[in-house]
């Protein structure tokens, strides 16, 4: 009986040890997971905005696209949204489009957020998380710069300053 308990306890410890080892390994490797590659075509998607209009990424070919993934609960996202809006107003007539992809929140929460910050650019909601998965987004905020041919020229994870947004939009201006 004692021998059986010892074997069971040993097996449990081995399983727990393996789980801990895998968790540590996965955390070290998560930054190495390849995002959408720079220089490659961005994965196409179609999402609906807050007004019910559909937006397909490929419809913006010929324009630079500032593709931003965000959430209303994300403090850095909240801080950068007014910067993105200011620069969008400056660059939209120069062929730069902003697509802000909210990651699965309710229309109500996103509309309230957009109204609070008076956001003018298209905001689409990735309800299923498929677009977030296709672009391998983690953590938020995350921004992709897409040139007029639909190729990714830059990926930035983390909060943006207004100067960075301006610089990024200059880079994708057709």
């Amino acid at each position: 009986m004692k021998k059986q308990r010892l074997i069971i306890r040993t097996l449990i410890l081995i399983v727990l040890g393996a789980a801990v080892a895998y968790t540590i390994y996965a955390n070290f490797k998560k930054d190495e997971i390849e995002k959408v590659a720079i220089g490659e075509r961005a994965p196409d998607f179609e999402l609906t905005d807050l007004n019910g209009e559909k937006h397909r990424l490929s419809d913006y070919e010929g324009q630079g696209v500032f593709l931003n993934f965000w959430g209303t609960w994300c403090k850095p996202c909240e801080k950068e949204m007014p910067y993105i809006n200011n620069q969008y107003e400056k660059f939209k007539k120069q062929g730069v489009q902003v697509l802000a992809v909210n990651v699965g929140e309710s229309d109500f929460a996103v509309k309230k957020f957009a109204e609070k910050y008076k956001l003018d650019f298209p905001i689409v909601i990735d309800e299923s998380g498929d677009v977030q998965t296709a672009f391998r987004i983690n953590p938020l905020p995350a921004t992709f710069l897409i040139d007029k041919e639909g190729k990714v020229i830059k990926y930035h994870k983390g909060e943006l300053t207004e100067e960075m947004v301006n610089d990024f939009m200059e880079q994708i201006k057709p």
Side-chain angles (χ1 to χ4, degrees), residues 103-153:
V103 292
E105 295 182 85
S106 71
D107 282 6
F108 179 77
V110 176
K111 280 180 185 174
K112 286 290 183 200
F113 185 93
E115 288 169 4
K116 178 179 177 182
Y117 292 100
K118 298 175 178 63
L119 303 177
D120 296 324
F121 48 78
I123 298 173
V124 294
I125 300 176
D126 183 15
E127 292 177 9
S128 65
D130 290 345
V131 177
Q132 183 180 5
T133 300
F135 280 82
R136 295 179 183 98
I137 302 303
N138 188 27
L140 295 178
T143 303
F144 287 86
L145 303 183
I146 302 169
D147 71 10
K148 64 184 181 179
E149 282 93 35
K151 293 181 181 170
V152 175
I153 63 163

Side-chain angles (χ1 to χ4, degrees), residues 4 16 21-22 32 47-48 63 82 97 118 137 144 152 170:
Q4 236 179 354
L16 286 173
Y22 175 77
E32 294 176 23
L47 294 173
T48 305
Q63 300 178 62
Q97 184 58 255
K118 298 175 178 63
I137 302 303
F144 287 86
V152 175
E170 279 289 344

